[in-house]
Amino acid sequence: MTLDSAVFRFAGLVVLASLALAHWVHPGFLWLTAFAGLNLFQASFTGFCPAAMIFKKLGVRPGSSFK
């Protein structure tokens, strides 16, 4: 698994989990969905992604987007 796929899988998991939590627990969890989306949007311009930095420290090999 590359760093890119790890980040995309984690982002997808966060979005799906926050949608489920918003549906069954409290609508305020939609802010987590918004945060994940905004973070992906800014990472596409800047290349800065905190999740990518964490996965890199965990030893996931680099991909083409996050190095």
Side-chain angles (χ1 to χ4, degrees):
M1 173 177 10
T2 65
L3 191 56
D4 302 339
S5 63
V7 168
F8 294 141
R9 287 177 189 177
F10 180 71
L13 181 66
V14 168
V15 168
L16 291 175
S18 65
L19 288 174
L21 288 168
H23 180 73
W24 284 300
V25 179
H26 189 274
F29 279 104
L30 289 174
W31 287 107
L32 182 58
T33 305
F35 173 75
L38 286 172
N39 191 34
L40 285 169
F41 185 71
Q42 70 83 24
S44 71
F45 289 104
T46 65
F48 174 76
C49 180
M53 293 171 20
I54 292 170
F55 284 124
K56 188 175 182 179
K57 287 184 181 182
L58 290 174
V60 178
R61 71 177 200 266
S64 58
S65 296
F66 304 107
K67 295 182 179 175

